[in-house]
C-alpha cells in the first residue's frame, strides 16, 4: 500500500520553497498523492522553520512567497496583499477564528505573533465550498502551538526560552511552559518584541535631517494559554485564550510618514498625523474539538469562539473603540465507498462595532453571516474531481438604522489529472461571496450610513489552471495561471453633504453602502526547486494586474498594482557542525505610474522596482532541534525602498535599512 503523506504532488514544490531557506533534514522528492485537497495554491511554514529563523513577524516568515507582499514598517502599519488583492479582500484565520471588520482604515487589521504558531499557510485565489465565510481572494491561515508540538520524545513536561536582538533598534524574548499527563495537556507561552524607530536604507533622510523613520517604533506582546484533553489519539477537546497587544507612540494614520512632506507653511508635516501613544489589543477565546473515526463521520473539526479587538489612547477623551465577534464552525468529512470523500458543514459569525462614545445618535453597526456547504471529492483515478455548493447569507444593520440582507449560492468545480508519478495537471472554476464589511469602527459614529436598494454581497469567480512536474529526482517545477472577476464590489459612496474628513459628523452628510463596480485580476505563478546533496536552490515568480472597471486600481483596501515579483534562494547544509547557511533574494519590477497617496504633495508618483538580499545561518549546537542559534542580515546592501503593497508617494513608509540579527531558542 502506498504511503500517503500530508501534501499532494502539486503542492510539494510550494512546501519545498517554504523549507529551502531553513532545511536541515533531507526532503524526499517522492511521488505524493492525497485525494481531497483543494485546488488553490498553498504555501506552508511550520514551527520548525520558524525556530530556525530570526523572524519576528509574518512579513519575514512568508518572505519566500512571491505572490504575497507586506509593506509599511512594523505591526499595524503593515499592509498585506495576496496576488495584488488588498486586505479587505483576504482573510486572516487563527484556529478558525476570524473577523473581517477593521478599527481604522489606515491600519492593518491583522494582529498575530508567529512565535505562537505551529503552522502558517497562505491560500491563494477564491476558495472552494469548504473554505468558510467570505473566501473570495485568499487567506493567511494559521494554527497555534500545543504542548505535544514542543515536547521532546519521552518528555511529559518542558520549557522553552527564546531571545533575539537586531542592530536596527530592536529585541525580542519569550518563554513557554508545557506538559501532558493522563490525557490532559496544557501550555502557557509569552513573547515580547520591542522595536524602536528604525533606520531607513542608504541615504534615507527625513525632512528633519535624521535617518530614522519617525513613529515607526512599536512594542508587541503575544500571550497564549491552552488546555486540552485527549479522549484517544484521534479525539481532542481544547480551550485556549490568545492575546496580541501592540503599543507605542504612533502616527494617527499609521501607514503614512508625513515627516517626508512639507506643509503649506514650509514646516515638516508631522502635526497633520497627530502622533500619540496608542494601545491595540486582540483577545480571542476558542473552544475547539478535533475528532476522527466517529461512525459515519471520519473527521470532525468544530469550534466556538469570541474575539474582541480594541484600540485605546491613554490620556485622550475619545475612550476605547471595540469590535466584538462571535463565531462557530462545524466541519465534517465522511468517506464514501472507501474511495470518495464528502465534506459538509455550517459556519456562523456575528460582529458588532462599538465606537468610543461621542454623543452621536448613530447606532452600533452589526452584521451576521451564515453559511452551509456540501463538497464532494471523487477519486476517479487517475482523475480527482471536486464538486461543491455553498450558500451564504448576511444580515446587516447600519449606524443610520437601516437594514440589508442577501443570500447567494456559490458552486465550485475542480479537476486534477495525475498523468503519471511525475506529472500532474489541475483546473478549477470557483465562486465565492463576501458580505459588505462594516464601516471602520473608529469613525462609524460620525457617519450616517444607509444602504442602496438591493445591496448585494460581492461575488468572486476564479478560473485557474496549473501543473506540477518532476523531470528528475532532484527537480520540481510548478506553475498556475488564473483569471478572477469580482462582481458587485462593495464600497462607500457619499450621497449628500460632507461624508469624510476630520470634521465630518453624523449630521454633516449621508454615506451609502454601495455596489460600485467590477474588479478583474489575472496573473500567473511559476516555481522551481532543485536539491543536490547538501545544496538547495529555489526560484519563483508571480505576476498579477488587478483592474477596477477597466482601470488599474491603486487601493490598498481593494487591490494594488504589484510589480512582477521574483524570489530566489540558495542554501548549503553542513553535517558537522550542524550548520546551514543561505541567501534569499526578493526582486520586484517597476509597477509604473499611479495616484499619489495622501500628503505626498503631488497627484501622481512612480512605483519603482527594487531588489533586497538577505543572508542567514542556522546552527544546532546539540545536533538536534532543541537548540537553535540563528544569525541573519536583512537588507544586506542597505537598500532604500518602498513595498508595492503600500500606497504610492513620498508619504509612504520606507522599509527598514540593513538589520543584523542574532536569535537563540532552546527547548529543555
Amino acid at each position: 500500500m502506498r504511503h500517503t503523506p500530508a501534501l499532494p504532488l502539486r503542492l510539494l514544490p510550494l512546501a519545498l520553497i517554504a523549507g529551502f531557506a531553513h532545511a536541515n533534514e533531507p526532503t524526499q522528492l517522492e511521488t505524493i498523492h492525497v485525494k481531497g485537497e483543494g485546488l488553490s495554491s498553498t504555501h506552508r511554514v511550520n514551527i520548525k522553520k520558524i525556530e530556525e529563523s530570526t523572524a519576528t513577524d509574518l512579513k519575514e516568515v512568508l518572505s519566500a512567497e512571491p505572490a504575497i507582499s507586506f509593506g509599511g514598517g512594523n505591526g499595524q502599519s503593515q499592509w498585506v496583499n495576496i496576488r495584488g488583492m488588498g486586505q479587505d479582500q483576504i482573510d486572516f484565520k487563527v484556529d478558525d477564528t476570524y473577523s473581517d471588520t477593521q478599527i481604522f482604515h489606515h491600519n492593518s487589521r491583522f494582529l498575530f505573533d508567529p512565535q505562537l504558531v505551529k503552522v502558517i499557510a497562505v491560500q491563494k485565489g477564491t476558495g472552494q465550498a469548504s473554505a468558510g465565510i467570505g473566501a473570495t481572494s485568499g487567506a493567511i491561515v494559521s494554527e497555534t502551538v500545543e504542548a505535544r508540538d514542543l515536547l521532546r520524545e519521552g518528555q511529559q513536561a518542558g520549557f522553552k526560552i527564546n531571545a533575539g536582538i537586531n542592530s536596527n533598534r530592536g529585541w525580542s524574548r519569550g518563554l513557554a511552559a508545557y506538559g501532558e499527563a493522563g490525557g490532559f495537556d496544557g501550555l502557557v507561552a509569552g513573547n515580547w518584541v520591542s522595536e524602536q524607530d528604525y533606520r531607513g536604507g542608504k541615504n534615507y533622510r527625513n525632512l528633519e535631517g535624521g535617518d530614522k523613520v519617525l513613529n515607526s517604533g512599536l512594542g508587541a506582546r503575544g500571550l497564549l494559554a491552552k488546555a486540552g484533553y485527549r479522549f484517544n489519539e484521534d479525539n481532542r477537546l481544547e480551550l485556549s485564550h490568545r492575546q496580541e497587544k501592540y503599543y507605542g507612540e504612533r502616527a494617527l494614520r499609521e501607514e503614512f510618514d508625513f515627516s517626508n512632506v512639507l506643509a503649506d507653511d514650509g514646516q515638516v508635516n508631522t502635526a497633520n498625523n497627530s502622533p500619540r501613544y496608542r494601545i491595540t489589543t486582540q483577545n480571542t477565546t476558542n473552544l475547539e474539538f478535533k475528532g476522527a473515526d466517529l461512525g459515519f463521520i471520519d473527521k470532525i473539526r468544530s469550534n466556538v469562539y469570541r474575539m474582541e479587538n480594541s484600540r485605546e489612547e491613554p490620556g485622550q477623551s475619545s475612550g476605547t473603540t471595540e469590535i466584538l465577534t462571535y463565531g462557530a464552525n462545524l466541519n465534517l468529512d465522511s468517506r464514501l465507498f472507501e474511495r470518495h470523500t464528502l465534506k459538509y458543514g455550517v459556519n456562523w459569525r456575528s460582529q458588532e462595532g462599538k465606537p468610543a462614545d461621542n454623543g452621536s445618535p448613530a447606532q452600533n453597526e452589526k452584521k451576521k453571516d451564515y453559511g452551509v456547504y456540501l463538497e464532494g471529492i471523487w477519486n476517479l483515478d487517475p482523475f480527482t474531481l471536486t464538486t461543491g455548493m455553498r450558500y451564504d447569507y448576511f444580515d446587516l444593520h447600519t449606524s443610520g438604522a437601516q437594514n440589508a440582507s442577501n443570500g447567494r449560492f456559490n458552486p465550485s468545480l475542480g479537476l486534477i489529472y495525475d498523468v503519471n508519478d511525475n506529472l500532474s495537471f489541475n483546473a478549477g472554476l470557483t465562486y465565492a461571496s463576501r458580505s459588505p464589511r462594516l464601516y471602520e469602527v473608529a469613525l462609524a459614529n460620525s457617519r450616517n450610513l444607509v444602504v442602496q436598494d438591493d445591496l448585494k454581497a460581492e461575488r468572486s469567480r476564479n478560473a485557474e489552471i496549473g501543473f506540477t512536474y518532476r523531470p528528475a529526482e532532484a527537480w520540481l517545477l510548478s506553475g498556475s495561471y488564473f483569471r478572477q472577476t469580482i462582481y458587485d464590489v462593495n464600497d462607500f459612496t457619499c450621497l449628500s453633504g460632507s461624508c469624510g474628513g476630520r470634521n465630518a459628523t453624523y449630521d454633516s452628510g449621508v454615506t451609502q453602502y454601495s455596489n460600485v463596480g467590477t474588479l478583474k485580476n489575472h496573473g500567473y505563478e511559476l516555481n522551481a526547486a532543485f536539491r543536490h546533496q547538501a545544496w538547495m536552490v529555489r526560484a519563483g515568480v508571480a505576476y498579477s494586474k488587478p483592474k477596477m472597471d477597466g482601470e488599474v486600481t491603486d487601493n490598498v483596501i481593494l487591490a494594488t498594482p504589484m510589480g512582477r515579483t521574483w524570489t530566489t534562494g540558495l542554501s548549503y547544509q553542513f553535517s558537522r557542525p550542524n550548520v546551514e547557511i543561505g541567501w534569499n533574494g526578493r526582486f520586484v519590477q517597476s509597477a509604473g505610474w499611479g495616484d499619489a497617496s495622501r500628503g505626498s504633495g503631488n497627484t501622481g508618483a512612480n512605483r519603482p522596482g527594487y531588489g533586497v538580499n538577505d543572508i542567514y545561518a542556522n546552527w544546532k549546537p546539540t545536533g538536534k532541534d532543541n537548540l537553535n542559534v540563528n544569525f541573519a542580515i536583512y537588507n544586506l546592501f542597505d537598500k532604500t525602498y518602498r513595498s508595492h503593497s503600500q500606497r504610492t508617494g513620498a508619504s509612504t513608509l520606507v522599509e527598514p535599512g540593513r538589520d543584523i540579527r542574532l536569535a537563540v531558542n532552546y527547548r529543555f
Side-chain angles (χ1 to χ4, degrees):
M1 182 175 179
R2 177 179 290 174
H3 172 60
T4 305
L7 290 176
L9 174 63
R10 66 187 180 281
L11 298 186
L12 182 57
L14 295 172
L16 286 176
I17 288 169
F20 273 2
H22 310 285
N24 290 297
E25 297 177 359
T27 302
Q28 300 300 319
L29 305 185
E30 59 182 317
T31 303
I32 295 179
H33 297 272
V34 169
K35 306 300 182 183
E37 289 280 350
L39 286 176
S40 60
S41 300
T42 305
H43 170 115
R44 291 182 173 93
V45 180
N46 61 26
I47 186 174
K48 180 175 182 291
K49 309 308 176 188
I50 294 173
E51 289 183 338
E52 293 169 357
S53 77
T54 60
T56 58
D57 63 15
L58 281 183
K59 178 169 67 174
E60 295 153 4
V61 172
L62 298 174
S63 62
E65 171 55 65
I68 184 171
S69 178
F70 291 82
N74 294 319
Q76 295 173 120
S77 60
Q78 287 182 357
W79 291 77
V80 59
N81 66 54
I82 299 174
R83 291 180 171 176
M85 305 304 287
Q87 71 163 8
D88 280 355
Q89 299 299 319
I90 61 180
D91 288 310
F92 309 96
K93 300 181 180 181
V94 182
D95 294 335
D96 220 9
T97 69
Y98 56 114
S99 168
D100 65 355
T101 299
Q102 64 187 80
I103 290 178
F104 190 40
H105 70 284
H106 291 294
N107 302 148
S108 172
R109 63 180 173 86
F110 187 44
L111 306 180
F112 189 61
D113 187 340
Q115 292 297 324
L116 304 180
V117 307
K118 68 176 178 181
V119 64
I120 298 172
V122 179
Q123 298 175 350
K124 291 170 275 185
T126 303
Q128 293 181 300
S130 58
I133 296 169
T136 55
S137 300
I140 297 176
V141 181
S142 52
E143 187 174 349
T144 54
V145 68
E146 63 179 81
R148 186 167 286 190
D149 301 315
L150 298 176
L151 287 168
R152 292 183 285 116
E153 187 174 356
Q155 272 191 319
Q156 286 192 308
F159 299 90
K160 176 184 174 181
I161 58 174
N162 61 274
I165 188 169
N166 57 294
S167 65
N168 207 342
R169 306 172 61 78
W171 56 264
S172 64
R173 60 186 177 187
L175 54 89
Y178 42 88
E180 65 176 359
F184 292 94
D185 63 83
L187 174 144
V188 179
N191 194 62
W192 292 261
V193 177
S194 178
E195 303 281 356
Q196 300 181 44
D197 289 351
Y198 62 77
R199 181 185 58 81
K202 181 169 51 180
N203 299 324
Y204 170 81
R205 291 292 183 273
N206 59 50
L207 291 183
E208 293 183 346
D211 62 357
K212 296 178 184 176
V213 178
L214 302 181
N215 303 308
S216 62
L218 189 68
R221 184 187 73 190
L223 303 175
L224 175 65
K226 182 177 286 191
Y229 180 75
R230 277 187 171 82
F231 300 93
N232 52 48
E233 284 301 308
D234 294 323
N235 295 278
R236 182 173 184 270
L237 182 68
E238 172 183 290
L239 176 65
S240 66
H241 183 80
R242 191 183 81 253
Q243 182 188 86
E244 283 90 18
K245 185 185 290 288
Y246 289 92
Y247 44 89
E249 184 168 298
R250 307 285 282 174
L252 172 64
R253 305 167 187 87
E254 296 195 23
E255 63 178 307
F256 292 141
D257 176 16
F258 286 174
S259 68
N260 283 317
V261 182
L262 294 177
D264 293 338
D265 60 3
Q267 300 300 310
V268 177
N269 202 17
T270 52
N272 188 42
N273 216 2
S274 306
R276 62 185 64 174
Y277 191 85
R278 186 174 301 115
I279 302 171
T280 304
T281 308
Q282 177 174 285
N283 284 290
T284 306
T285 302
N286 188 39
L287 178 64
E288 183 174 21
F289 177 74
K290 301 176 188 177
D293 296 327
L294 301 173
F296 179 72
I297 299 172
D298 286 280
K299 290 184 181 179
I300 178 174
R301 181 163 186 171
S302 60
N303 71 311
V304 180
Y305 66 92
R306 180 185 185 274
M307 178 185 295
E308 180 185 80
N309 295 67
S310 66
R311 187 181 81 162
E312 56 184 316
E313 297 178 339
Q316 303 295 321
S317 60
S318 58
T320 301
T321 297
E322 294 181 338
I323 303 167
L324 187 59
T325 304
Y326 292 92
N329 301 285
L330 176 63
N331 303 296
L332 305 170
D333 289 9
S334 294
R335 295 285 290 170
L336 301 176
F337 309 112
E338 299 301 321
R339 290 178 57 84
H340 313 298
T341 300
L342 191 67
K343 294 175 174 284
Y344 50 103
V346 180
N347 311 113
W348 170 78
R349 183 176 65 193
S350 175
Q351 300 177 85
E352 180 179 2
K354 297 183 176 183
D357 185 17
N358 66 354
S360 168
Q363 298 184 7
N364 286 350
E365 290 210 300
K366 301 177 182 179
K367 183 178 68 168
K368 289 184 172 63
D369 289 285
Y370 309 85
V372 295
Y373 69 89
L374 180 65
E375 185 175 294
I377 315 296
W378 313 103
N379 180 1
L380 309 173
D381 197 25
F383 296 94
T384 301
L385 177 67
T386 302
T387 59
M389 180 62 71
R390 181 178 181 87
Y391 178 75
D392 285 294
Y393 179 86
F394 75 86
D395 185 14
L396 170 69
H397 298 256
T398 76
S399 67
Q402 290 200 0
N403 297 344
S405 58
N406 182 247
R408 284 190 183 274
F409 284 99
N410 294 300
S412 58
L413 179 66
L415 182 67
I416 301 167
Y417 174 33
D418 291 318
V419 180
N420 52 47
D421 286 346
N422 299 320
L423 179 63
S424 175
F425 293 102
N426 64 77
L429 179 63
T430 309
Y431 289 80
S433 58
R434 177 179 291 272
S435 60
R437 64 186 183 275
L438 297 182
Y439 201 84
E440 53 195 286
V441 181
L443 301 179
N445 59 357
S446 61
R447 304 290 189 269
N448 182 359
L449 293 157
V450 300
V451 296
Q452 76 171 47
D453 294 337
D454 194 27
L455 180 69
K456 298 180 178 66
E458 296 177 348
R459 194 186 200 202
S460 175
R461 181 189 68 196
N462 189 72
E464 186 160 349
I465 58 174
F467 74 93
T468 297
Y469 179 44
R470 188 188 67 180
E473 190 70 22
W475 282 93
L476 277 169
L477 306 173
S478 69
S480 64
Y481 174 79
F482 68 91
R483 296 191 70 91
Q484 180 183 16
T485 302
I486 300 179
Y487 302 96
D488 298 318
V489 170
N490 296 136
D491 208 345
F492 300 95
T493 56
C494 186
L495 290 187
S496 62
S498 174
C499 299
R502 66 180 66 187
N503 297 319
T505 67
Y506 183 84
D507 299 317
S508 68
V510 179
T511 302
Q512 179 178 265
Y513 280 85
S514 303
N515 296 123
V516 299
T518 301
L519 177 61
K520 294 185 177 182
N521 191 18
H522 72 277
Y524 60 83
E525 299 171 49
L526 294 170
N527 291 284
F530 173 74
R531 175 168 188 145
H532 178 66
Q533 296 178 355
W535 289 97
M536 301 189 79
V537 184
R538 63 169 175 83
V541 60
Y543 171 80
S544 61
K545 194 169 186 178
K547 292 184 177 182
M548 184 71 179
D549 292 332
E551 299 293 331
V552 175
T553 181
D554 192 356
N555 183 324
V556 291
I557 293 174
L558 296 177
T560 307
M562 302 291 299
R564 185 178 288 103
T565 301
W566 303 78
T567 58
T568 56
L570 173 67
S571 67
Y572 184 83
Q573 175 70 54
F574 296 91
S575 57
R576 294 185 181 179
N578 191 335
V579 173
E580 180 189 22
I581 59 173
W583 158 77
N584 293 317
R586 188 178 186 90
F587 307 97
V588 182
Q589 296 177 221
S590 171
W593 193 263
D595 293 334
S597 59
R598 181 176 184 173
S600 290
N602 52 22
T603 58
N606 186 45
R607 195 182 291 267
Y610 58 87
V612 183
N613 296 270
D614 306 327
I615 59 174
Y616 68 89
N618 167 251
W619 174 37
K620 299 180 185 294
T622 64
K624 302 178 181 179
D625 290 333
N626 65 320
L627 177 59
N628 290 277
V629 179
N630 303 305
F631 172 81
I633 303 178
Y634 291 154
N635 196 355
L636 178 65
F637 300 112
D638 205 22
K639 177 75 173 180
T640 299
Y641 70 102
R642 290 175 169 86
S643 169
H644 288 182
S645 65
Q646 290 292 101
R647 300 180 193 261
T648 304
S651 64
T652 300
L653 287 162
V654 301
E655 296 297 322
R658 184 186 297 115
D659 193 7
I660 303 172
R661 296 191 176 194
L662 178 66
V664 179
N665 58 77
Y666 179 43
R667 281 185 276 156
F668 58 94

